[in-house]
Amino acid sequence: MDLTEKQQELLEIAKQHRKYFATRTIWDEYAKKHDLPRMSSYIYRFGSVQKVKDLLEITPNYSQTEAFIELKKEEIRTILKEHGSQIENRTQWDDYAKEHKLPTYKTLVNYFSWEEILKLSGRPKKRKFTEDDLIPIARAHLDHFRSVGKWNDYAKEHDLPSAMTFIRTFGSWKLARNAVLSFNR
């Protein structure tokens, strides 16, 4: 088949972005975001989408789901770059997401792990603390290490490990308090 210059140009664009050339909906959504020709341009120049797919050797087995997932991942990456600084925990994010009409925590973790979400958000990965790490921190701020609520408020304000970090490390808040209070230098 002899192709016109415009057909060759369109075909080259489709080749470069072939994983999104799965369905009209997927392609048009992707094309709009990247300022590419819409599917209607391909239909006009080639007569049908199938002719383009044949030229690109896209078989019916080509995964449309894969293209959709890539498109959603790209969308979520953009959201996390813009709003990621707001992520603290699941509940807080869901509240923020609802208010700003963004995907929920559950949607985010369908596409990325929690560590990937933090990384894409520009948030540092939380450090794994040991008992030896936590005891000096708590002792340095002993006046505030009285209750889970009081500690969490203070810790958040001063960028310190949360009460949950102490609970996970020591097994309970009571065990953490006992270890901190009975620590001898």
Side-chain angles (χ1 to χ4, degrees):
M1 173 181 186
D2 289 331
L3 300 175
T4 67
E5 190 175 316
K6 188 63 181 173
Q7 284 175 319
Q8 288 174 354
E9 182 183 326
L10 286 170
L11 201 58
E12 190 56 40
I13 291 168
K15 273 183 193 173
Q16 290 172 8
H17 306 274
R18 71 179 279 133
K19 69 179 169 183
Y20 299 101
F21 208 84
T23 67
R24 183 179 193 136
T25 304
I26 291 171
W27 176 260
D28 282 348
E29 189 176 329
Y30 179 79
K32 185 178 180 182
K33 288 181 182 178
H34 294 87
D35 198 29
L36 299 172
R38 304 299 189 273
M39 189 65 82
S40 57
S41 298
Y42 287 89
I43 294 168
Y44 175 77
R45 296 286 178 181
F46 291 90
S48 75
V49 175
Q50 192 54 51
K51 283 186 183 173
V52 180
K53 287 183 176 184
D54 290 344
L55 290 167
L56 293 173
E57 298 177 354
I58 296 176
T59 64
N61 294 334
Y62 181 73
S63 173
Q64 295 174 3
T65 305
E66 187 179 310
F68 178 78
I69 288 170
E70 280 303 312
L71 194 59
K72 287 299 166 194
K73 279 185 158 185
E74 185 178 308
E75 204 174 283
I76 290 171
R77 280 186 195 99
T78 303
I79 289 167
L80 289 174
K81 283 180 185 164
E82 187 177 333
H83 298 275
S85 63
Q86 300 301 316
I87 292 179
E88 290 178 32
N89 58 50
R90 177 185 184 156
T91 307
Q92 174 277 331
W93 173 256
D94 282 347
D95 291 343
Y96 180 84
K98 185 176 182 180
E99 184 180 324
H100 293 86
K101 295 180 172 61
L102 298 171
T104 63
Y105 168 86
K106 202 170 187 178
T107 302
L108 298 179
V109 296
N110 278 338
Y111 296 98
F112 297 102
S113 70
W114 181 245
E115 288 75 24
E116 289 171 320
I117 290 167
L118 291 176
K119 188 176 181 181
L120 289 167
S121 301
R123 306 276 310 223
K125 185 180 174 194
K126 293 191 177 179
R127 182 177 152 210
K128 178 95 170 134
F129 289 97
T130 66
E131 289 182 10
D132 291 338
D133 295 327
L134 293 173
I135 290 172
I137 293 169
R139 290 200 53 83
H141 306 274
L142 204 50
D143 290 347
H144 304 279
F145 198 73
R146 299 195 184 287
S147 69
V148 170
K150 187 170 182 173
W151 177 256
N152 274 339
D153 292 342
Y154 182 79
K156 186 174 183 180
E157 210 174 286
H158 294 87
D159 198 28
L160 296 170
S162 70
M164 188 52 72
T165 301
F166 282 88
I167 292 167
R168 282 191 194 113
T169 304
F170 289 91
S172 72
W173 180 253
K174 185 177 181 179
L175 291 172
R177 287 240 335 125
N178 288 343
V180 168
L181 295 174
S182 65
F183 179 77
N184 291 319
R185 291 182 187 209

